[in-house]
Amino acid sequence: MSDPQTETDTLPEMEDMEADAPRVGIIMGSKSDLELMQKAGDVLHDADVLYEIRVMSAHRDPETVADYCKNARMRGLRVIIAGAGLSAALPGVAAAHTDLPVIGVPLSSSLTAAGGLDSILSVVQMPPGVPVAAVGLDNPKNAAHLALRILGA
Ligand code: RP5
């Protein structure tokens, strides 16, 4: 068990350092996802929760995704929302590189199979021990509402 005195000494300092840091990171696999995924940002903005939004593909920029997720907690992020379509690996890859809660948003796209079932299954069917919470197809607003509940905001 951690020493309460040590926590009392260090935590306020860290909280000051992180005061202006985004709490939620919104990431997505393509610029083509941005217009829809911005709706998650709009919900967070309305709730006065700081967020950042970035495009990074698990398949096209795997090292960027790994670096972003490995550094997320240290940078002050507390939840990651990850949207992707087709073979939607991004939420799962994010969860593989961070212990923060990851909320996956399956997205449909022009090339989607079975009306988006491809991305739904890719997001949901994670192996035990590497959890991804999933919201409905093309529903980033619910990802933001879930993030607010996780944050207690
Ligand atoms: C996924 O493939 C993206 O998340 C996007 O939903 C889909 C299509 O990407 P683009 O070909 O439009 O870049 O990786």
Side-chain angles (χ1 to χ4, degrees):
M1 200 167 159
S2 57
D3 176 357
Q5 185 58 48
T6 305
E7 287 187 4
T8 308
D9 288 346
T10 56
L11 270 178
E13 203 174 296
M14 289 180 69
E15 280 167 9
D16 284 349
M17 209 170 63
E18 295 174 355
D20 296 328
R23 293 296 176 203
V24 180
I26 302 173
I27 58 176
M28 67 212 75
S30 171
K31 273 186 188 167
S32 64
D33 303 324
L34 184 55
E35 186 178 346
L36 183 58
M37 289 301 294
Q38 181 57 52
K39 293 178 188 294
D42 295 344
V43 170
L44 297 170
H45 174 81
D46 289 347
D48 291 325
V49 169
L50 294 175
Y51 70 94
E52 63 185 16
I53 187 159
R54 305 220 179 140
V55 175
M56 57 185 78
S57 165
H59 298 114
R60 294 163 175 157
D61 323 296
E63 287 170 16
T64 301
V65 174
D67 287 346
Y68 181 83
C69 294
K70 284 177 187 169
N71 292 323
R73 180 181 286 282
M74 182 195 68
R75 294 182 49 243
L77 295 174
R78 291 297 171 260
V79 182
I80 292 176
I81 294 173
L86 301 179
S87 175
L90 184 61
V93 170
H97 288 294
T98 181
D99 59 358
L100 293 176
V102 175
I103 306 171
V105 186
L107 302 175
S108 56
S109 81
S110 59
L111 295 176
T112 200
L117 190 58
D118 48 2
S119 54
I120 291 172
L121 293 176
S122 297
V123 171
V124 170
Q125 290 290 75
M126 288 296 294
V130 192
V132 170
V135 293
L137 185 69
D138 294 331
N139 196 344
K141 284 185 180 179
N142 259 7
H145 286 295
L146 180 54
L148 292 176
R149 290 185 179 199
I150 291 170
L151 292 168

